Amino acid sequence: MSNSAESAAKRPLRVAIVGAGPAGVYAADILTKSNEVKDGDFEVSIDLFEAYPAPYGLIRYGVAPDHPRIKGIVNALHKVLDRGDIRFLGNVTYGRDLTLHDFRAFYDAVIFSTGAIKDADLDIPGVELEGSFGAADFVSWYDGHPDVARDWPLDAKEIAVIGNGNVALDVARMLVKHAEELLVTEIPDNVYQGLKNSPVTDVHVFGRRGPAQVKFTPLELRELSHARDVDIVLYPEDFEFDEASDDAIRSNNQTKTMVNTMTNWLVEEHAEAEEPSSRRLHLHFLHSPVEIYDDGGSGKVAGIKFERMQLDGTGNVKGTGEFIDYPVQAVYRAIGYHGSALDELEYDAKRGVIPNEGGRVLDAEGNPVPGIYATGWIKRGPVGLIGHTKGDALETIGFLLEDRLTLPPAKNPDPQAIIDLLEHRGIEYTTWEGWNKLNAHEAALGAAWSASGASDGVVRERIKVVPREEMIEISRA
């Protein structure tokens, strides 16, 4: 062991985690609870950096606000950060406020958990037309992301959502649901007003494969049926199953549950309704998008063309040569997220990840970069549920622990040094104490709204603050 490594071994291991969403918080929690730390082999000192003034990443800015499980996940993350052994530093952007060189100087190891926030590309004609949107942008809007516009063009009566994952169903549900039902969530007022004034009557969700191959979960599917004054419409021709589909239904309880649920809806919808709903949510399968088109060169979405697909016996699909047009005035692409490149690190543009082996970040030659790690979606791509990030973080932390005696030691490991640098650069960083102030402020906004004469008996636990400047001001007061 070198003299510098010996010196580093006598002090707490300094670790920076970039990204304070579930992946970053789980990584910090697993490291602090590792056997090596608990047994006293070494101490660890962790700083958790976040580009936004508030923590929680995807949970705050990437999940529909009416999800029943959000509160439980937030509570779990809150307990981890509220212990006081992990320092939160928000409103600090990697590559702008701090560089990799900076992190190298103050930390022995850096873990990147920056997630994936861009939409995956859909390469079909017309995708650039006015009224064609990426789902990630819409999610950011209705979740009150501080860096997106406050307004969203909600002027379409008929809307297409392309995709068969959880995000597609989130987007469809938010578009078709009556805004009053969302008042019990933390949506900001501008989002409520925008959705309230939407003229939407029909939202169509299109999947390329069949009902047995969908990527959403039973929970997401069930939530569709909870929307008031919304009929769910399915189509009998979509419910023809091939051998692989039958096998999946027999062998996978989740697939069986979802197919049974949709099949029951298909049967029930033929019963005469006493009063038709004012809005409809259509679920289409075996549709592959071909073109988004406008009306006479208007530059605005007027419809979308699909090729009808058929199952090929393996659960995959092939084209039939039959094309179907749907008149819509807006299209939302929800075919997946894509990670973004990070300064001074290699990037796999095809997969949208930092090249790595089990979380050890690789250089251009494929060799591990000492002291640099990745976890979450920026490590493995935007697949899996939030819970999967725990196992992912466990793997990454395992390798960090293996490497801890050979990590390149920080030149200035004093925890105060990074604070001094942030203040010297005029960066208005936020802290965990600041988040608690903002958290209390948002709860007070909800209480005030609930007590107002306009509340009509609706109780709101909180209302999300949107402007970044206001978030910073409240947090740093």
Side-chain angles (χ1 to χ4, degrees):
M1 189 185 299
S2 67
N3 290 335
S4 59
E6 286 180 4
S7 175
K10 295 175 183 178
R11 59 166 171 80
L13 185 75
R14 290 284 286 147
V15 177
I17 300 177
V18 182
V25 177
Y26 290 150
D29 189 40
I30 289 168
L31 180 55
T32 59
K33 292 179 178 177
S34 65
N35 290 331
E36 291 85 344
V37 172
K38 287 193 298 183
D39 293 343
D41 292 354
F42 74 102
E43 295 179 33
V44 65
S45 170
I46 302 173
D47 286 342
L48 184 62
F49 290 87
E50 173 56 57
Y52 309 129
Y56 306 144
L58 173 72
I59 296 297
R60 185 171 169 94
Y61 294 122
V63 180
D66 59 344
H67 266 308
R69 291 193 307 124
I70 287 181
K71 190 179 297 183
I73 297 172
V74 167
N75 288 343
L77 299 179
H78 180 95
K79 287 179 181 177
V80 172
L81 295 180
D82 204 43
R83 294 194 311 246
D85 56 349
I86 300 164
R87 185 167 62 174
F88 171 74
L89 295 170
N91 198 43
V92 181
T93 300
Y94 172 77
R96 184 190 69 192
D97 299 326
L98 293 176
T99 65
L100 187 62
H101 176 78
D102 295 326
F103 280 110
R104 288 286 208 185
F106 297 103
Y107 299 93
D108 306 301
V110 186
I111 303 172
F112 288 91
S113 57
T114 51
I117 58 173
K118 295 196 313 181
D119 283 291
D121 291 334
L122 177 65
D123 187 18
I124 61 172
V127 75
E128 76 290 342
L129 291 173
E130 182 181 341
S132 171
F133 306 107
D137 294 332
F138 182 56
V139 171
S140 292
W141 175 76
Y142 67 59
D143 271 334
H145 193 293
D147 299 332
V148 303
R150 302 289 183 269
D151 299 319
W152 189 270
L154 289 164
D155 49 13
K157 288 187 176 182
E158 300 158 302
I159 301 171
V161 179
I162 303 173
N164 253 177
N166 286 339
V167 174
L169 292 198
D170 277 354
V171 167
R173 194 176 67 255
M174 291 294 291
L175 286 167
V176 80
K177 208 169 188 176
H178 290 278
E180 287 71 21
E181 289 191 76
L182 295 166
L183 282 174
V184 295
T185 75
E186 60 183 26
I187 61 167
D189 188 59
N190 66 294
V191 176
Y192 168 67
Q193 294 297 335
L195 293 171
K196 182 181 179 181
N197 296 324
S198 170
V200 66
T201 60
D202 293 83
V203 175
H204 299 262
V205 181
F206 295 95
R208 188 171 179 271
R209 297 202 288 171
Q213 288 81 38
V214 294
K215 296 298 183 183
F216 47 76
T217 60
L219 176 65
E220 292 281 347
L221 188 62
R222 285 195 298 270
E223 285 179 11
L224 294 183
S225 63
H226 297 160
R228 178 185 57 82
D229 190 34
V230 176
D231 287 335
I232 298 176
V233 183
L234 298 106
Y235 298 86
E237 61 269 26
D238 291 342
F239 285 79
E240 295 180 5
F241 302 103
D242 64 356
E243 184 177 344
S245 300
D246 290 334
D247 288 343
I249 294 167
R250 282 193 300 267
S251 61
N252 187 300
N253 285 333
Q254 178 168 301
T255 301
K256 181 180 179 179
T257 297
M258 290 191 292
V259 170
N260 285 346
T261 298
M262 289 186 284
T263 303
N264 289 338
W265 287 349
L266 183 64
V267 173
E268 290 167 3
E269 76 179 57
H270 290 290
E272 286 295 323
E274 292 183 11
E275 189 174 337
S277 299
S278 66
R279 294 180 176 180
R280 289 160 294 281
L281 178 59
H282 306 254
L283 297 180
H284 302 268
F285 303 98
L286 301 171
H287 281 67
S288 182
V290 174
E291 177 187 9
I292 303 169
Y293 55 86
D294 63 2
D295 186 9
S298 66
K300 298 181 179 180
V301 171
I304 182 167
K305 182 188 296 290
F306 290 89
E307 182 178 9
R308 181 74 186 174
M309 310 302 284
Q310 65 182 18
L311 293 162
D312 66 0
T314 69
N316 291 313
V317 293
K318 57 185 179 182
T320 65
E322 175 189 353
F323 296 91
I324 311 169
D325 285 2
Y326 292 87
V328 296
Q329 299 84 50
V331 174
Y332 289 77
R333 308 179 302 277
I335 58 172
Y337 287 128
H338 201 72
S340 302
L342 295 169
D343 286 358
E344 301 179 74
L345 297 176
E346 290 300 311
Y347 177 65
D348 182 338
K350 185 176 181 180
R351 296 178 57 220
V353 299
I354 301 172
N356 68 93
E357 284 183 356
R360 287 182 173 121
V361 171
L362 305 177
D363 62 18
E365 285 73 43
N367 301 311
V369 181
I372 306 297
Y373 302 87
T375 191
W377 280 2
I378 198 63
K379 168 188 172 182
R380 59 184 165 85
V383 292
L385 303 175
I386 291 170
H388 292 141
T389 57
K390 286 187 178 180
D392 198 42
L394 191 63
E395 180 185 49
T396 294
I397 296 302
F399 283 123
L400 188 154
L401 291 170
E402 279 186 23
D403 300 341
R404 72 182 187 278
L405 297 179
T406 58
L407 294 172
K411 297 180 180 67
N412 192 347
D414 182 354
Q416 182 59 35
I418 190 68
I419 300 298
D420 293 342
L421 178 65
L422 293 173
E423 291 180 348
H424 175 73
R425 291 180 177 174
I427 298 165
E428 294 183 299
Y429 65 90
T430 59
T431 63
W432 182 246
E433 292 74 21
W435 162 245
N436 283 328
K437 293 177 186 177
L438 179 59
N439 190 27
H441 180 82
E442 293 185 342
L445 292 177
W449 194 95
S450 300
S452 70
S455 68
D456 197 27
V458 176
V459 176
R460 305 195 69 184
E461 288 191 14
R462 65 191 299 120
I463 297 176
K464 190 179 288 183
V465 173
V466 180
R468 180 182 284 264
E469 300 77 13
E470 186 178 348
M471 294 173 70
I472 295 169
E473 182 180 354
I474 294 166
S475 300
R476 290 173 60 89

